[in-house]
Amino acid sequence: MKQEYVYRAFERFWHWMQAALIVFLGVTGFEIHGSIRFFGFEQAVTYHNVAAVSFLVLIVFAVFWHLTTGEWRQYVPTWKNLKAQAQYYVFGIFRNAPHPTRKTVLSKLNPLQKLVYAGLKVLVIPIMVVSGLLYMFYRYPQRNQVLSLNIGSLEVIAVLHTIGAFLLVTFFIAHIYLVTTGRTVTSNLRAMITGYEELEGDPDDNKAPRVSHEPALSK
Ligand code: HEM
């Protein structure tokens, strides 16, 4: 085993800010939806709007970071070992089977993570942002007119936004469980806090070839 620097400072900052904002947007959003009562409706709307703007700013920085470091390539989905990874989570993990893929600095996501995270990045988060912004601009027509939206389309927007919120809550619950399934129960969590993780030293990685983006990923 070798101690490796897996998650860089911005990456960890972005991860934890995103987690906090999504939880906060979820709590305030579901209060607006009427499912829970915590801050009171009016406060929930104000807090949701402030958190949404912060989330948008974070997204701009995160997109820039992923593009300039080449780290976006980590999320390109692959069929290779996808079935093995899914079978591991359904069966293997309960029989103490070894992880079917190995984590390395150049390939830190397993095939299932690549697929799910790519789906979040290109589908769920954009849906939340676009529907959220349309919702926001619709709700304040005196300041920001979106004249083409009638009440019918607002309903579609609200339903899309709520479906996205349920998907994010589902992801969040699964994510917390999967975080505990690393080499030890806390190894993944500690890695995302400190940046360092004990990884198998063998460079003969079976998850992804060491491809041309290697120089862009240097520390
Ligand atoms: C940039 C991202 C986002 C923007 C711009 C945004 C904006 C909004 C706006 C303007 C509303 C309506 C508030 C009102 O009625 O006055 C709303 C509602 C809501 N938001 Fe968001 N939001 C965003 C992200 C999220 C996220 C990440 C979640 C969940 C994790 C979420 C969950 C909800 C829920 C559940 C509602 C209530 C929907 C309904 O009942 O119609 N939002 N959002």
Side-chain angles (χ1 to χ4, degrees):
M1 301 303 286
K2 224 170 106 199
Q3 185 88 331
E4 299 257 24
Y5 189 50
V6 185
Y7 302 110
R8 286 178 268 175
F10 176 81
E11 203 169 7
R12 285 175 278 139
F13 166 78
W14 159 68
H15 173 271
W16 290 114
M17 279 302 287
Q18 173 167 270
L21 284 170
I22 289 183
V23 168
F24 192 68
L25 283 161
V27 171
T28 50
F30 279 106
E31 175 145 20
I32 295 167
H33 191 67
S35 318
I36 52 174
R37 198 175 152 71
F38 198 70
F39 298 110
F41 181 81
E42 302 240 314
Q43 285 295 351
V45 171
T46 309
Y47 291 158
H48 196 80
N49 286 344
V50 172
V53 172
S54 314
F55 191 39
L56 287 173
V57 173
L58 184 69
I59 288 172
V60 170
F61 280 98
V63 168
F64 180 77
W65 183 84
H66 279 87
L67 292 180
T68 52
T69 57
E71 283 284 317
W72 63 270
R73 292 187 179 90
Q74 299 263 4
Y75 300 85
V76 176
T78 169
W79 290 110
K80 198 179 166 205
N81 286 325
L82 184 63
K83 201 170 153 208
Q85 191 69 43
Q87 281 173 341
Y88 169 76
Y89 284 129
V90 179
F91 306 112
I93 199 168
F94 302 110
R95 296 181 190 144
N96 234 355
H99 279 266
T101 56
R102 190 147 20 83
K103 190 166 176 175
T104 70
V105 177
L106 294 180
S107 181
K108 31 193 170 196
L109 304 175
N110 71 47
L112 212 58
Q113 284 175 315
K114 282 180 196 281
L115 186 69
V116 172
Y117 294 175
L120 286 179
K121 281 173 192 292
V122 301
L123 205 71
V124 181
I125 302 231
I127 285 177
M128 292 311 278
V129 168
V130 173
S131 60
L133 285 173
L134 289 172
Y135 212 155
M136 201 179 258
F137 283 90
Y138 180 85
R139 300 291 285 183
Y140 305 104
Q142 64 277 41
R143 269 188 286 150
N144 306 294
Q145 292 196 337
V146 180
L147 296 171
S148 59
L149 284 181
N150 59 25
I151 199 76
S153 46
L154 180 66
E155 201 177 329
V156 175
I157 288 162
V159 169
L160 277 177
H161 201 72
T162 307
I163 291 173
F166 274 109
L167 287 175
L168 283 174
V169 169
T170 310
F171 165 77
F172 188 77
I173 294 166
H175 189 65
I176 301 280
Y177 163 62
L178 291 174
V179 161
T180 65
T181 65
R183 201 176 54 79
T184 67
V185 173
T186 55
S187 60
N188 284 335
L189 177 66
R190 264 187 287 135
M192 197 46 94
I193 295 170
T194 64
Y196 287 91
E197 186 171 0
E198 294 255 306
L199 298 178
E200 280 176 57
D202 186 355
D204 212 5
D205 162 43
N206 66 348
K207 277 167 68 173
R210 294 189 181 259
V211 286
S212 55
H213 61 274
E214 202 160 348
L217 290 170
S218 60
K219 288 166 212 165

